């Protein structure tokens, strides 16, 4: 129930209906826990406390609740080894693909192309295609530990590829086709793949984009590839001749086969997800069958309230971890909605149009999408029938107070779940619960089973803003980084606080909820005052004159330089925007947050998954060359980043 769509920062804006609690995922799990004789309490806070105080009880019961079937010999749930060496469900076996594919009927996938084409895949057809592709791979020697990679858009073939690979006990990894050749090679060359699934072209922004030149370059640098499967149904671009043997998708799945699953250990590698790769070689983050399955199901069943028969759409490319969540929705018995191409082409309204047409129950979007909608005249609840939509998930970056208010005044009476997690864990640290109230600007609660805290620089818990740390293991913490002896893994998460996971975000816990204050590795530190970039973005990006902004702080000798880069909205006079920005920062923050310079740029640079490139821009202003701070194939607009490099060189020339 909406309390006040115009509520101020921190105020209550939405209240759940208590009568609905028993039907929600968290309500059903609470009852399930009680039926099994555990005193976990009836409210979310008590349930969370039990889940982190008694992790073995929690994870064992959640696995039963989610219907996960184990083989092997029953024993302890987790070893007593400290992070990152904790072993989960040792001696137990399962298969990720088996859980996703068994026991469901009806529609499994709905695939929507950029031109409006629509295809449904039944559960029966999905199982048949997975079985056929798995047998095709099996005959060609793909088995435990072999890597199958894909360069594919968000289409049904990518889902089949993941599930067929997992069914064999092989290892999956995928890149979206818009990645540059260098970005693809820097990822896949590490894996030494045996088979590649590739699309010779893809649709984006109304154009059929030819990728043959890039694929030639990629294949030339992947000498271990023995076979290529061409997925050409979604493009008019023809295939190319390759040194490795090749076939079409249609041929690869033509022969019917028995659906079989390799029983693998809980921690057997499932997939490799890659860090953004804007600096250095991208980290190949390896997750296991069991950890990924449990955490994905928890995120969907509990923190998304996704139910059998629901339709789930998350606006994500195949390179973003949220695509894995879309596939994992099959494990709930939900229908995964796949949107190929640019989901916002030809306009932002297309996402809402698809949501209405497909009767989506749970919609996931990035905070940037909501902020972009809020700067338009869009009123989705007036223009579309959103009666099936019960939840909106927002990820990627903190959602502004204006974003919260826009949702409740323009989308409707739905549960807004702002979430924060990451590729690192294929899950969330903090998120939502449908039985908790929503306060403007705040994330509702820590996720079940996640002992998340805020620590100061001395390693002590703080009630104020601090480093986001995890003090007890999670099942989906990476098994390893690909090709790493453990050194890079340790440096990434455990070098700051020994034995404790430091994620690299600033977090704050309050009575109203949780705040994420941005990345701690891009913290602004002017005259000893540590400033969160998220605070500045909240003050600046809420302005109608500002489309987006990026701020960095750079030590230049004895001076500290803090520029704010701004993209103005169409038709806005930069001087008008500058006046509004200064006034907003003064009023909402303080003069100490005012940038040293406001620099107007044509856009703000991001990774391909939408993360602002704060650190690469900062490093260029410190004198690092562009080719050392970013892989241009991994960013959304390489020419834009070159413009920032030019600005940095000119600024450094003036200073010196």
């Amino acid at each position: 129930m909406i309390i006040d769509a115009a509520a101020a920062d921190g105020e209550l804006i939405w209240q759940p209906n208590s009568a609905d609690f028993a039907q929600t995922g968290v309500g059903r799990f609470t009852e399930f826990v009680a039926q099994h004789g555990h005193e976990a309490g009836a409210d979310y806070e008590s349930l969370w406390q039990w889940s982190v105080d008694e992790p073995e009880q929690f994870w064992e019961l959640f696995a039963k609740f989610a219907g996960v079937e184990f083989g092997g010999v029953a024993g302890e749930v987790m070893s007593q080894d400290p992070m990152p060496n904790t072993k989960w469900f040792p001696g137990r076996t399962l298969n990720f693909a088996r859980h996703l594919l068994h026991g469901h009927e009806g529609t499994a996938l709905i695939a929507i192309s950029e031109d409006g084409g629509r295809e449904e895949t039944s559960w029966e057809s999905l199982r048949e295609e997975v079985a056929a592709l798995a047998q095709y791979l099996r005959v060609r020697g793909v088995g435990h530990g072999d890597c199958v990679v894909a360069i594919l858009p968000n289409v049904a073939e990518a889902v089949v590829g993941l599930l067929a690979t997992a069914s064999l006990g092989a290892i999956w990894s995928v890149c979206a086709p818009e990645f540059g050749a260098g970005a693809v090679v820097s990822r896949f060359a590490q894996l030494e793949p045996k088979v590649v699934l590739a699309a010779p072209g893809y649709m984006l922004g109304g154009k059929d984009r030819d990728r043959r030149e890039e694929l030639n370059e990629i294949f030339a640098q992947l000498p271990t590839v023995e076979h290529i499967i061409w997925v050409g149904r979604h493009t008019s671009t023809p295939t190319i001749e390759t040194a490795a043997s090749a076939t079409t998708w249609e041929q690869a799945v033509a022969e019917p086969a028995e659906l079989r699953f390799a029983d693998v250990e809980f921690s057997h590698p499932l997939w490799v997800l890659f860090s953004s790769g804007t600096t250095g070689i991208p980290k190949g983050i390896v997750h296991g069958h069991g950890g990924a399955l449990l955490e994905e199901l928890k995120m969907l069943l509990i923190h998304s309230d996704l139910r059998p028969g629901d339709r789930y759409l998350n606006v994500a490319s195949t390179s973003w971890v949220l695509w894995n969540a879309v596939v994992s929705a099959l494990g709930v018995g939900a229908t995964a909605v796949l949107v190929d191409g640019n989901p916002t082409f030809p306009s932002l309204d297309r996402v809402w149009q698809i949501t209405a047409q497909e009767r989506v129950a749970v919609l996931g979007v990035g905070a940037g999408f909501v902020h972009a909608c809020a700067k338009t005249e869009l009123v989705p609840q007036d223009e579309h029938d959103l009666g099936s939509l019960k939840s909106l998930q927002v990820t990627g970056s903190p959602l502004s107070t204006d974003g919260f208010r826009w949702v409740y005044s323009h989308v409707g009476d739905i549960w807004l779940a702002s979430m924060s997690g990451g590729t690192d864990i294929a899950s969330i640290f903090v998120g939502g619960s449908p039985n908790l109230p929503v306060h403007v600007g705040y994330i509702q609660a820590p996720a079940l089973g996640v002992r998340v805290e805020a620590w100061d620089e001395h390693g002590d818990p703080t009630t104020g803003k601090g480093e986001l740390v995890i003090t007890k293991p999670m099942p989906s913490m990476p098994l390893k980084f690909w090709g790493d002896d453990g050194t890079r893994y340790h440096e990434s998460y455990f070098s700051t606080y020994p034995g404790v996971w430091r994620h690299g975000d600033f977090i704050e816990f309050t009575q109203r909820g949780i705040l994420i204050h941005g990345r701690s590795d891009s913290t602004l530190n002017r005259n000893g005052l540590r400033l969160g970039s998220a605070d500045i973005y909240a003050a600046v990006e809420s302005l109608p004159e500002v489309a987006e902004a990026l701020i960095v702080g750079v030590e230049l000798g004895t001076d500290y330089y803090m520029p704010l880069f701004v993209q103005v909205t169409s038709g806005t006079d930069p001087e008008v925007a500058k006046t509004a920005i200064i006034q907003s920062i003064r009023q909402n923050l303080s003069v100490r947050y005012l940038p040293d310079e406001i620099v107007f740029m044509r856009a703000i640079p991001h990774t391909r998954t939408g993360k602002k490139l704060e650190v690469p821009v900062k490093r260029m202003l410190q004198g690092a060359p562009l080719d050392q701070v970013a892989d241009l194939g991994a960013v959304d607009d390489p020419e834009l980043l070159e413009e920032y490099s030019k600005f940095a060189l000119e600024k450094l020339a003036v200073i010196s």
Side-chain angles (χ1 to χ4, degrees):
M1 176 177 64
I2 299 174
I3 305 300
D4 178 8
D9 184 15
E11 289 186 353
L12 182 67
I13 195 169
W14 182 85
Q15 184 76 37
N17 185 342
S18 59
D20 296 333
F21 175 69
Q23 302 303 315
T24 64
V26 67
R28 291 183 290 109
F29 181 62
T30 300
E31 177 62 23
F32 185 84
V33 171
Q35 289 175 353
H36 283 75
H38 295 280
E39 297 293 332
D43 60 275
Y44 184 86
E45 184 176 1
S46 299
L47 184 67
W48 175 81
Q49 193 67 55
W50 167 78
S51 76
V52 295
D53 288 344
E54 303 292 344
E56 293 190 72
Q57 293 179 9
F58 166 71
W59 285 110
E60 186 169 36
L61 277 180
F62 178 75
K64 290 180 180 178
F65 174 75
V68 176
E69 297 181 1
F70 291 115
V73 180
E76 62 181 359
V77 172
M78 57 186 290
S79 72
Q80 298 308 306
D81 301 296
M83 295 184 285
N85 300 314
T86 310
K87 302 296 188 295
W88 289 90
F89 293 90
R92 308 306 298 273
T93 61
L94 75 168
N95 188 285
F96 180 87
R98 176 192 285 121
H99 183 88
L100 266 61
L101 288 170
H102 271 183
H104 309 298
E105 300 299 332
T107 302
L109 305 175
I110 296 173
I112 300 171
S113 59
E114 199 178 72
D115 62 5
R118 181 184 186 278
E119 292 182 348
E120 289 194 12
T121 302
S122 69
W123 283 98
E124 182 179 2
S125 294
L126 179 60
R127 286 188 281 263
E128 289 173 352
E129 283 215 334
V130 169
L133 181 61
Q135 179 62 14
Y136 186 87
L137 296 172
R138 188 182 292 114
V139 168
R140 279 147 189 83
V142 176
H144 282 212
D146 290 325
C147 288
V148 175
V149 302
I151 307 167
L152 291 177
N154 189 12
V155 293
E157 288 87 344
V159 177
V160 175
L162 188 163
L163 295 175
T165 302
S167 75
L168 298 170
I171 303 169
W172 169 263
S173 193
V174 60
C175 274
E178 61 265 25
F179 269 50
V184 174
V185 171
S186 68
R187 288 158 171 77
F188 288 169
Q190 299 181 52
L191 305 182
E192 299 181 324
K194 182 174 285 190
V195 176
V196 179
L197 282 63
Y202 68 100
M203 294 297 300
L204 188 70
K207 296 180 180 178
D208 192 346
R209 300 173 187 262
D210 188 334
R211 293 288 290 173
R212 289 175 294 178
E213 183 177 341
E214 290 83 359
L215 289 170
N216 255 328
E217 182 179 344
I218 291 167
F219 294 152
Q221 298 178 73
L222 298 178
T224 61
V225 172
E226 299 175 4
H227 198 74
I228 296 165
I229 300 175
W230 288 111
V231 179
R233 193 163 57 91
H234 314 278
T235 177
S236 60
T237 304
T239 60
I240 56 177
E241 292 293 327
T242 58
S245 65
T247 192
T248 66
W249 176 269
E250 291 74 18
Q251 292 170 325
V253 298
E255 293 295 326
E258 177 187 359
L259 185 60
R260 297 155 52 190
F261 300 96
D263 287 313
V264 297
E265 294 290 331
F266 187 91
S267 59
H268 185 80
L270 167 65
W271 58 47
V272 181
L273 305 177
F274 283 94
S275 61
S276 58
T278 53
T279 57
I281 298 174
K283 297 190 295 284
I285 301 169
V286 185
H287 293 125
H289 276 245
L293 180 61
L294 289 186
E295 283 285 1
E296 294 275 6
L297 291 177
K298 184 195 69 178
M299 181 174 65
L300 295 167
L301 285 166
I302 304 295
H303 300 292
S304 307
D305 194 25
L306 192 67
R307 308 178 193 181
D310 280 350
R311 294 184 173 184
Y312 180 50
L313 166 61
N314 210 311
V315 181
S317 78
T318 51
S319 288
W320 197 4
V321 64
L322 290 172
W323 179 81
N324 300 68
V326 174
V327 179
S328 297
L330 299 172
V332 177
T335 299
V337 180
L338 313 174
V339 180
D340 184 19
N342 181 353
T344 60
F345 178 82
S347 72
L348 291 168
D349 189 52
R350 183 163 180 259
V351 172
W352 303 110
Q353 179 185 6
I354 293 171
T355 299
Q357 290 176 345
E358 299 302 333
R359 305 187 306 283
V360 169
V362 180
L363 170 63
V365 298
F369 171 78
V370 176
H371 295 153
C373 287
K375 295 180 184 295
T376 69
E377 301 299 319
L378 276 179
V379 186
Q381 65 181 354
D382 291 346
E383 298 164 13
H384 305 289
D385 179 3
L386 299 176
S388 296
L389 185 64
K390 63 182 181 182
S391 175
L392 179 67
Q393 299 175 328
V394 181
T395 56
S397 60
L399 182 64
S400 68
T401 55
D402 282 345
F404 276 79
R405 287 190 285 264
W406 182 84
V407 168
Y408 284 107
S409 61
H410 291 71
V411 179
D413 187 7
I414 59 174
W415 165 42
L416 171 59
S418 184
M419 308 170 123
S420 183
T423 303
D424 316 73
I425 57 163
S427 186
I428 59 170
F429 298 121
V430 294
S433 176
N435 69 320
L436 293 176
V438 175
H439 291 85
V440 176
Y442 289 77
I443 296 172
Q444 289 173 292
L448 293 186
V450 183
R451 176 78 80 171
V452 55
E453 300 177 8
W455 281 19
D456 63 22
E457 61 270 25
H458 304 296
D460 298 320
T462 176
T463 55
K465 181 172 71 175
E467 291 274 1
L468 188 163
V469 299
I470 308 299
T471 60
K472 287 192 176 181
M474 296 173 61
S476 64
M477 284 178 173
L479 303 177
K480 61 180 180 179
F481 290 167
W482 193 273
D484 178 40
D485 62 2
T487 302
R488 197 178 184 195
Y489 188 4
H490 180 269
E491 290 176 349
S492 295
Y493 307 119
F494 297 103
S495 59
T496 304
Y497 309 113
V500 172
W501 175 293
R502 170 190 170 271
H503 191 61
D505 282 339
F506 279 130
I507 191 169
E508 182 179 359
F509 295 88
T510 77
Q511 291 185 337
R512 294 170 176 173
I514 299 168
L515 295 170
I516 299 291
H517 291 284
R519 295 292 296 174
S520 58
D521 56 6
S522 56
T523 304
L524 309 170
N525 191 348
R526 179 196 271 165
N527 299 323
L529 178 67
R530 301 179 85 195
L531 311 175
S533 58
D535 299 323
I536 294 177
Y537 295 147
V540 172
E541 293 182 337
S542 62
L543 297 170
E545 296 87 353
V546 176
E548 196 175 12
L550 181 148
I551 191 162
V552 296
V554 187
E555 300 82 5
L556 295 176
T558 58
D559 296 326
Y560 191 79
Y561 174 55
M562 195 171 85
L564 176 70
F565 299 94
V566 175
Q567 175 192 359
V568 298
T569 50
S570 178
T572 297
D573 183 340
E575 286 303 312
V576 172
K578 182 176 181 179
T579 301
I581 289 167
I582 293 172
Q583 182 178 2
S584 180
I585 292 175
R586 285 179 178 274
Q587 290 180 347
N588 295 295
L589 298 171
S590 80
V591 294
R592 294 182 296 181
Y593 284 74
L594 287 172
D596 294 311
E597 183 178 7
I598 296 176
V599 184
F600 294 100
M601 304 292 281
R602 69 174 175 87
I604 301 301
H606 307 85
T607 67
R608 294 254 180 217
T609 55
K611 302 286 186 182
K612 292 180 183 178
L613 293 174
E614 292 171 328
V615 174
V617 171
K618 175 178 177 176
R619 290 190 60 204
M620 285 192 290
L621 284 165
Q622 291 173 319
L626 175 58
D627 61 359
Q628 290 184 13
V629 304
D631 178 351
L632 293 181
V635 303
D636 61 350
D637 188 339
E639 292 181 359
L640 175 64
L641 204 56
E642 290 173 354
E643 294 171 24
Y644 278 77
S645 175
K646 181 180 179 182
F647 171 84
L649 291 172
E650 292 173 351
K651 174 60 66 174
L652 290 170
V654 171
I655 293 173
S656 61

